């Protein structure tokens, strides 16, 4: 009997996978289960434009009408609580049981919790639209916002809060912001932009204690400095949501471990997006877990193809972007693969850092500039990375040499 | 009834490239295909209203600079997530080295 395809997690990845199954012509049952009350939606706006607008709106990946038209059954506000692998069925929190032919786990990631006592209602995390709405209510002129963690989400939120006139302090225990994955030269540009906009950034001092009396948060740093705020937003990274998979006995390794085809240790269960770790072919199969929007999208589509038997290996190059004030940052590849850097200056103060491996292979490119100044060259760099190209450093460094010409070579 | 508007000189755009053209408070994107034909679409991506002219042209595809959404610029068809709404296209002709577009 045909049971159909079941997808757990109605986020970016799960939503895209459901749509992709239909685009591929699959005509069996497609069921998308999510524990949030919303349609599948895009998270990136939650720390960007949606935060600044008067009444934030959800940016849905598919409307109810589209889901209905494509016969995708979306079960919302319900959690998947157990997988019976032998019976090929998932049990939901409302007591119902969904049989599957193939199962996709797209459970995403969740904010890493600050491991200390003292956090209360004025200490919050940002992951969902509901979180974003609650935070938005505090982003008013003069309100004091402490951002704990100088990563992307915290910094984007800091920029949004400044736009709304809040007084913002960013607290980062590391010696600089964006330590993970962003070259110092680019982090510095972002740091300066925040300072110019009036954000106070405190780096290199860990948090000793937090006191939250429900009206105010007091953060005390190891060096003794005290920061008082009306709201503290904690953004210290994310952890993969793997409980369901682990309890079902699937292999976990910094996320649900999947092979190049996104198949878990059970051949009928796939995992994709923020929740999985997978072998990254462009770096010879190095196992990674990405927390990136385009990856969630691409892996959702790839999982759909492979659930239908395509047997296609993941081949994409990681890609990420962030917007803060008028600046846009884009990164293709993983810069920690590089050993040396070549800089290419573009117009309007924009620039790109090309990261080269020891043998001269281009392994990553990080760019920053106003608007979309770096977009085209980062995209071309991404293609060069995918081709394992070894472009001449002089060519990469010279704005006069078009990257497109290197691609043809 | 709509007018032909001069957008640029044919030589202003490289083959397999795109240029922004603003006219009457609207913004367009003018393309030159690898086989040396000209095309025009609305200038802004249907996902988040970003100027497509900052994007990359590959064969008959324009890729949005912001999140890599794809359109066929010859037909305006949306060709890949996250874009799902097609782009409007406009007739183009080349006359005496000038690229003209008919904006309705
Ligand atoms: C504020 C913010 C800003 C971001 N900005 C950017 C950016 O600028 N650029 C970029 O590249 N990336 C960005 N990202 C990251 C990007 O949004 C994620 O990589 C992407 O959402 C991952 O998609 P996913 O489907 O794997 O996981 P998610 O989008 O997290 O979706 C997983 C869903 O599964 C649900 N779920 C989990 N377990 C269960 C269960 N047992 N039963 C039912 N449902 C379950 C979760 O509640 C969630 O709704 C941002 C993320 C956030 C939070
Ligand atoms: S703005 Fe064009 S793809 Fe998002």
């Amino acid at each position: 009997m045909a049971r159909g395809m079941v997808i757990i997690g109605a986020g970016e990845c799960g939503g895209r996978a459901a749509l992709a199954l239909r685009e591929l012509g699959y005509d069996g049952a497609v069921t998308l289960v999510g524990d949030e009350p919303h349609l599948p939606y895009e998270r990136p706006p939650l720390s960007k434009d949606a935060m600044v607008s008067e009444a934030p709106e959800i940016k849905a990946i598919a409307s109810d009408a589209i889901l209905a038209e494509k016969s995708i059954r979306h079960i919302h506000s319900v959690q998947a609580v157990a997988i019976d692998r032998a019976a090929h069925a998932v049990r939901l929190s409302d007591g119902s049981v969904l049989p599957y032919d193939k199962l996709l786990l797209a459970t995403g990631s969740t904010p890493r919790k600050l491991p200390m006592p003292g956090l209360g209602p004025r200490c919050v995390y940002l992951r969902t639209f509901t979180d974003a709405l609650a935070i938005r209510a505090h982003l008013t002129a003069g309100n004091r916002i402490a951002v704990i963690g100088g990563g992307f989400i915290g910094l984007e939120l800091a920029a949004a809060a400044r736009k709304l006139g809040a007084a913002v302090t960013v607290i980062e225990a590391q010696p600089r912001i964006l330590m993970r994955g962003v070259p110092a030269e680019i982090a510095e540009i972002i740091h300066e932009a925040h300072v110019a906009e009036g954000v106070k950034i405190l780096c290199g001092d860990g948090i000793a204690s937090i006191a939250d009396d429900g009206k105010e948060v007091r953060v005390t740093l190891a060096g003794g400095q005290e920061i008082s705020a009306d709201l503290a937003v904690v953004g210290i990274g994310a952890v993969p949501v793997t409980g369901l998979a682990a309890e079902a006995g699937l292999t976990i390794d910094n996320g649900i471990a999947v092979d190049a085809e996104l198949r878990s240790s059970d051949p009928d269960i796939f995992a994709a997006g923020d929740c999985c770790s997978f072998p990254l072919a462009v770096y010879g199969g190095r196992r990674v877990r990405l927390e990136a929007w385009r990856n969630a999208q691409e892996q959702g589509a790839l999982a759909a193809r492979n659930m239908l038997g395509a047997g296609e290996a993941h081949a994409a190059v990681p890609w990420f972007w962030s917007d803060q004030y008028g600046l846009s940052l884009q990164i293709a590849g993983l810069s920690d693969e590089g050993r040396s850097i070549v800089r290419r200056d573009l117009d309007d103060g924009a620039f790109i850092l090309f990261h080269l491996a020891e043998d001269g292979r281009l392994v990553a490119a990080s760019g920053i500039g106003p608007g979309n100044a770096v977009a085209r060259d980062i995209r071309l760099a991404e293609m060069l990375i995918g081709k394992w190209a070894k472009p001449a450093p002089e060519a990469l460094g010279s704005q006069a040499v078009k990257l497109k010409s290197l691609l043809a070579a | 009834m709509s007018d032909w508007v001069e957008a640029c000189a044919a030589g202003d755009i490289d083959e397999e490239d795109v240029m922004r053209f603003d006219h009457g408070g609207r913004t367009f994107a003018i393309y030159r295909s690898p086989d040396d034909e000209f095309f025009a679409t609305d200038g802004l991506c249907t996902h988040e209203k970003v100027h497509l002219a900052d994007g990359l042209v590959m064969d008959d595809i324009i890729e949005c600079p912001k999140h890599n959404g794809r359109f066929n610029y010859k037909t305006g068809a949306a060709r890949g997530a996250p874009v799902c709404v097609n782009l409007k296209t406009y007739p183009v002709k080349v006359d005496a080295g000038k690229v003209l577009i008919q904006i309705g």
Side-chain angles (χ1 to χ4, degrees), chain B residues 35-81:
Chain B
D35 43 8
D36 205 16
E37 279 187 279
F38 290 83
F39 298 88
T41 69
D42 268 339
L44 300 179
C45 181
T46 58
H47 181 234
E48 281 183 9
K49 298 195 168 50
V50 159
H51 284 285
L52 289 169
D54 291 326
L56 184 67
V57 178
M58 285 172 296
D59 292 325
D60 48 10
I61 295 292
I62 172 72
E63 209 179 62
C64 174
K66 190 82 234 176
H67 314 118
N68 309 139
R70 292 166 154 228
F71 302 92
N72 179 323
Y73 59 82
K74 297 182 175 177
T75 62
R79 276 297 185 75

Side-chain angles (χ1 to χ4, degrees), chain B:
Chain B
M1 297 276 66
S2 46
D3 292 335
W4 287 92
V5 180
E6 182 182 327
C8 59
D12 290 347
I13 314 178
D14 290 341
E15 275 182 22
E16 203 174 44
D17 210 345
V18 56
M19 205 178 92
R20 174 173 164 184
F21 170 59
D22 292 345
H23 180 82
R26 294 160 68 187
T27 183
F28 304 90
I30 317 284
Y31 309 83
R32 186 169 180 174
S33 70
D35 43 8
D36 205 16
E37 279 187 279
F38 290 83
F39 298 88
T41 69
D42 268 339
L44 300 179
C45 181
T46 58
H47 181 234
E48 281 183 9
K49 298 195 168 50
V50 159
H51 284 285
L52 289 169
D54 291 326
L56 184 67
V57 178
M58 285 172 296
D59 292 325
D60 48 10
I61 295 292
I62 172 72
E63 209 179 62
C64 174
K66 190 82 234 176
H67 314 118
N68 309 139
R70 292 166 154 228
F71 302 92
N72 179 323
Y73 59 82
K74 297 182 175 177
T75 62
R79 276 297 185 75
V83 299
C84 45
V85 176
N86 294 345
L87 272 181
K88 193 166 157 41
T89 58
Y90 302 88
V92 180
K93 67 182 177 190
V94 182
D95 193 7
K98 304 284 181 204
V99 179
L100 306 163
I101 79 168
Q102 190 177 36
I103 52 186

Side-chain angles (χ1 to χ4, degrees), chain A residues 2 10 23 37 39 102 140 142 150 183 185 191 193 204 218 239 257 260 294 314 335 346 352 358 362 383 393 409:
Chain A
E23 273 157 32
L39 286 166
K102 303 274 185 238
T140 51
E185 237 172 304
H191 185 115
R218 272 207 335 277
V239 292
R294 198 177 81 187
H314 179 275
S335 59
L346 308 175
I352 291 180
E358 218 141 322
L362 178 65
M383 291 190 254

